[in-house]
Amino acid sequence: MKLRRGWFARLVTMSRTLGLLAGLMVLSVSLAYAADLSVTDGLTSPGKRIQLQARLTNPEAEGEIGIPDRVLEFFVHGRTAGQANTDARGWARLDFVPSMRGNLSIVVKVVTQSKAEAIEGKGVLLSWERRRPILLIDLAVLVAGELDTEAPPPELFQDPGLILGDAHPEAAAELGKLAEFYYNLVYLDQTGRGHLEVIQTWLRDHQFPPGMIRILPRTPTALTNLLHDLKAEGWEKVSGGIGRTASFAEVLVQNRLQTIILPLPNIQERFPHRAIVLNDWSRVRRHL
């Protein structure tokens, strides 16, 4: 009887262990299919400390709930930069000091032994020299047609924010040439409705060169305030911008910056006389 009871106890223990392992495997697989890893682009200069940031969330949960207590590993320009744990909101942060200039790739991976849980996210570390000129780019000139800034239907659970749609067929290639040889780029959402991660993804998907993204409030002084903020942050070499509206042109001209305007067809606006108004992207580089 004692022997039988011993075997029975072992079977119960083995059954519980297998059940626990199976549960962990299901949890691991479910995380792989129900987790998003987003990486925030960063801006700094060579030799200056910055905090790299990534967030692990469950997109199927209401409000994109952060996934805590997971180890993330950060790679910059192909080399490991270190590891950090996610907090209660799913954020992981790691201090880093770049030694080289340029637009450096950031790859962040969930540290796990399971191949089924191979989750990673990508971003860019903008390690800029402050003496290189900066070009402001209104997101409106990058899309084919008009930006969709209408409020979403009330039945939608979450406001999708700014809807960018299709990219202008020439914009990415022309900006790529400007960024490669001369300028650092700052992308501007002047509607105030955009979501940073959505804009980052759209720019990458449409092969635009990396750049800083600034979402401005929809106020008359937002662009002027941005110029002051950039100067206060040490980015004094803003040399010009490419935009769509008369209000954009007026601010840049008032600040004695090179101003290129690509207006929508059949839109009648009066632009400052120092603004260069063009009808296509192919002529932009000639005037910068």
Side-chain angles (χ1 to χ4, degrees):
M1 289 294 294
K2 290 183 178 180
L3 182 61
R4 290 182 181 178
R5 288 177 182 175
W7 277 106
F8 181 75
R10 291 177 186 175
L11 286 173
V12 170
T13 302
M14 290 177 62
S15 177
R16 289 177 178 174
T17 302
L18 290 173
L20 179 60
L21 290 173
L24 291 173
M25 290 176 65
V26 170
L27 178 62
S28 176
V29 173
S30 65
L31 178 61
Y33 287 98
D36 280 344
L37 183 54
S38 57
V39 181
T40 303
D41 290 348
L43 173 64
T44 188
S45 299
K48 186 176 180 180
R49 186 179 303 276
I50 188 174
Q51 194 171 68
L52 306 178
Q53 300 185 91
R55 191 182 187 207
L56 188 66
T57 59
N58 180 0
E60 297 179 359
E62 187 174 311
E64 292 190 353
I65 302 301
I67 300 174
D69 302 322
R70 304 289 295 187
V71 181
L72 305 185
E73 186 166 12
F74 291 74
F75 299 85
V76 177
H77 203 56
R79 296 183 178 181
T80 183
Q83 297 182 349
N85 290 353
T86 57
D87 61 18
R89 298 186 62 245
W91 283 101
R93 298 176 174 88
L94 180 73
D95 288 342
F96 181 76
V97 180
S99 59
M100 60 188 299
R101 68 174 180 85
N103 299 319
L104 313 177
S105 65
I106 306 173
V107 176
V108 181
K109 299 180 180 180
V110 177
V111 177
T112 175
Q113 295 180 351
S114 171
K115 292 183 179 180
E117 204 176 332
I119 307 169
E120 70 174 41
K122 296 180 180 180
V124 178
L125 175 57
L126 307 168
S127 180
W128 288 355
E129 290 184 346
R130 295 184 183 272
R131 64 187 179 211
R132 195 179 194 198
I134 288 175
L135 194 64
L136 306 177
I137 310 295
D138 184 355
L139 286 175
V141 300
L142 305 184
V143 303
E146 296 187 57
L147 288 176
D148 186 353
T149 59
E150 296 295 325
E155 60 270 17
L156 284 182
F157 171 73
Q158 186 176 8
D159 183 353
L162 181 67
I163 300 175
L164 291 163
D166 294 330
H168 189 287
E170 300 174 2
E174 292 300 317
L175 277 184
K177 295 169 185 174
L178 289 169
E180 181 180 2
F181 296 112
Y182 198 56
Y183 292 100
N184 289 327
L185 305 182
V186 176
Y187 295 103
L188 305 180
D189 170 18
Q190 298 193 90
T191 71
R193 298 193 66 243
H195 297 165
L196 182 62
E197 294 172 2
V198 174
I199 295 172
Q200 287 176 347
T201 300
W202 186 87
L203 291 170
R204 291 178 190 136
D205 288 347
H206 292 87
Q207 299 181 337
F208 283 97
M212 185 198 320
I213 299 171
R214 291 291 178 100
I215 299 173
L216 306 184
R218 200 162 187 172
T219 62
T221 62
L223 186 54
T224 300
N225 293 340
L226 172 69
L227 293 174
H228 293 161
D229 291 345
L230 289 173
K231 187 174 182 179
E233 294 167 13
W235 305 103
E236 299 187 8
K237 291 209 66 175
V238 178
S239 80
I242 305 173
R244 172 154 285 175
T245 63
S247 59
F248 180 92
E250 287 167 1
V251 172
L252 266 64
V253 167
Q254 288 171 5
N255 285 272
R256 299 181 179 180
L257 303 176
Q258 294 173 295
T259 306
I260 304 293
I261 298 296
L262 296 169
L264 284 169
N266 304 320
I267 298 295
Q268 299 297 321
E269 279 193 285
R270 297 186 63 181
F271 299 101
H273 72 276
R274 287 183 55 206
I276 300 171
V277 182
L278 304 174
N279 57 13
D280 64 78
W281 272 94
S282 64
R283 299 172 57 202
V284 167
R285 282 183 293 138
R286 303 177 193 175
H287 300 278
L288 288 172

